[in-house]
Amino acid sequence: MSLFKVVEGDCAIVMSGGIYKQVPIYTRNGYLFAGVSGGFVRLKADGSTSKPKMLLEHLETELHLCKDKTGRLGTPEIPDAKPLEARDILLIEG
């Protein structure tokens, strides 16, 4: 079992209820998460997250990003990894 591991130097900006917050990025089993309010939210390629009404506004990372068939963000080690296309990256950057 793999625990959440911080990606040193990388961060995201998430937005919920009109409030923007800079948060650290984590990986777990190759998938990307943002550290929010003492927990973790899953990040998706379309800018949504696992938390209702929270959006991924910006992602600052050196990781090679991929998405799985359901659109979850991760690294090439995730099952069914598909590299992000330029249009996917524009969605993440807001």
Side-chain angles (χ1 to χ4, degrees):
M1 177 163 68
S2 177
L3 300 176
F4 292 95
K5 297 175 185 157
V6 70
V7 181
E8 294 294 334
D10 291 359
C11 64
I13 297 173
V14 294
M15 189 272 294
S16 181
I19 298 180
Y20 294 80
K21 185 175 181 181
Q22 183 173 316
V23 296
I25 298 298
Y26 295 82
T27 61
R28 182 171 186 264
N29 297 328
Y31 288 100
L32 263 63
F33 294 82
V36 178
S37 301
F40 304 93
V41 294
R42 183 182 297 276
L43 302 178
K44 300 179 184 177
D46 66 359
S48 65
T49 71
S50 59
K51 184 175 180 178
K53 299 183 182 179
M54 178 174 280
L55 299 174
L56 173 60
E57 180 69 23
H58 181 81
L59 181 60
E60 192 75 31
T61 184
E62 296 291 324
L63 294 173
H64 178 72
L65 296 178
C66 294
K67 63 181 178 178
D68 67 7
K69 59 185 172 184
T70 61
R72 298 177 294 184
L73 281 176
T75 62
E77 72 182 67
I78 63 174
D80 301 317
K82 180 180 173 188
L84 291 186
E85 298 174 15
R87 63 183 175 82
D88 295 323
I89 294 169
L90 290 175
L91 288 174
I92 292 171
E93 292 179 355

